[in-house]
Amino acid sequence: MRIGMLGTGDVAKALAKGFATLGHDVKVGSRSAGNGKATAIAKELEGKGSAGTFAEAAAFGEVVVLATLGSANPEVLKAAGADRLRGKVLIDATNPLDFGGGAPRLFLGHTDSGGEQVQRLVPEARVVKAFNTVGNAFMFRPVFAGGPPDMFFCGNDAAAKKTVEDILVSFGWQTVDLGGIESSRYLEAMCMVWVIHGIRSGTWTHAFKLLRK
Ligand SMILES: NC(=O)c1ccc[n+]([C@@H]2O[C@H](COP(=O)([O-])OP(=O)(O)OC[C@H]3O[C@@H](n4cnc5c(N)ncnc54)[C@H](OP(=O)(O)O)[C@@H]3O)[C@@H](O)[C@H]2O)c1
């Protein structure tokens, strides 16, 4: 599959490496052509990677991943282009975090969420929220003493969710479908549980698992 990666941070790098390891072709998109971080990630993908702008990555991908700073989502998606994302599966791995002083906080919640904002910004893309509740170090092939952790995901389009669920399983996750994109309100709050536990414990090696009888 062709994957368009929007972003050049730790999440984009971890997911790009995961996709490439599984044999997918990845174009890493950034705000400017020739971005050094995008080029460096692409180079690490050993023949499966290339670099370009957000628009080029969006056009390239059969599946596109949004992995940029949450507050930049409107400008990133504007640059990617709603037309280029029309009908495509858009995995939203972002969190609406405000880093303006002290510990990060959500700048959206209760009655709205980053996932819903993303779906409104690109209404004809098929947005699935996923990968936002775990650290980048564990996004691909997570290994924990308690067995495979669960990746919670949500979105409005059943076929898009099936595509993302298949990707999650291929990445080594068990999955939990939380329904429509409005459940992003709770997945983004779960991110804060992950972050606060990290801050309080000083460890960043945890993941969520739903226990089943
Ligand atoms: N870090 C994690 O482990 C983790 C885990 C789960 C979810 N997340 C979420 O995943 C997303 C990515 O996280 P991250 O840690 O990889 O990186 P990040 O620092 O949150 O974002 C980096 C990316 O955002 C781009 N960016 C920043 N400001 C921008 C702007 N104004 N316009 C366009 N692009 C802009 C950067 O581009 P430039 O290089 O050009 O600045 C870079 O590609 C975030 O929403 C985060 O909350 C992170």
Side-chain angles (χ1 to χ4, degrees), residues 7-12 31 35 37 54 67-70 72 75-76 93-95 97 131-136 139:
T8 56
D10 291 337
V11 171
R31 15 184 173 179
N35 176 290
K37 284 189 272 182
F54 287 138
T68 41
L69 187 69
E75 58 189 290
V76 172
T94 71
N95 284 303
L97 295 182
F131 287 115
N132 73 305
T133 55
V134 74
N136 64 83
M139 288 181 172

Side-chain angles (χ1 to χ4, degrees):
M1 207 155 45
R2 291 191 313 276
I3 309 296
M5 187 64 61
L6 306 178
T8 56
D10 291 337
V11 171
K13 185 172 175 176
L15 294 178
K17 280 187 168 179
F19 279 113
T21 301
L22 293 171
H24 302 291
D25 293 301
V26 184
K27 187 177 279 292
V28 184
S30 62
R31 15 184 173 179
S32 55
N35 176 290
K37 284 189 272 182
T39 311
I41 295 171
K43 201 170 166 190
E44 282 190 49
L45 305 184
E46 295 175 357
K48 304 303 286 179
S50 59
T53 61
F54 287 138
E56 288 165 345
F60 176 83
E62 297 167 87
V63 168
V64 179
V65 184
L66 181 62
T68 41
L69 187 69
S71 57
N73 285 348
E75 58 189 290
V76 172
L77 291 171
K78 189 173 176 204
D83 287 358
R84 295 182 198 92
L85 295 170
R86 180 175 293 130
K88 293 187 178 174
V89 175
L90 177 63
I91 300 177
D92 174 18
T94 71
N95 284 303
L97 295 182
D98 172 5
F99 294 96
R105 297 180 304 175
L106 293 176
F107 63 76
L108 280 175
H110 297 292
T111 56
D112 199 5
S113 62
E116 288 163 278
Q117 182 192 54
V118 167
Q119 184 64 82
R120 284 194 300 274
L121 287 163
V122 285
E124 293 180 81
R126 299 183 291 150
V127 179
V128 180
K129 189 95 196 174
F131 287 115
N132 73 305
T133 55
V134 74
N136 64 83
F138 301 101
M139 288 181 172
F140 184 62
R141 293 182 175 159
V143 176
F144 286 87
D150 278 308
M151 182 61 76
F152 297 78
F153 66 100
C154 66
N156 293 340
D157 186 287
K161 284 200 288 191
K162 175 73 174 81
T163 298
V164 175
E165 187 166 28
D166 289 347
I167 289 169
L168 290 169
V169 169
S170 73
F171 271 50
W173 289 90
Q174 291 196 345
T175 60
V176 181
D177 181 347
L178 280 193
I181 196 65
E182 68 280 359
S183 288
S184 298
R185 297 171 196 182
Y186 314 111
L187 294 190
E188 291 161 10
M190 273 176 77
C191 149
M192 287 306 306
V193 175
W194 193 90
V195 168
I196 291 168
H197 177 67
I199 292 170
R200 289 180 59 82
S201 67
T203 62
W204 301 93
T205 51
H206 43 282
F208 293 111
K209 187 167 187 66
L210 188 72
L211 296 179
R212 303 157 173 95
K213 203 159 167 67

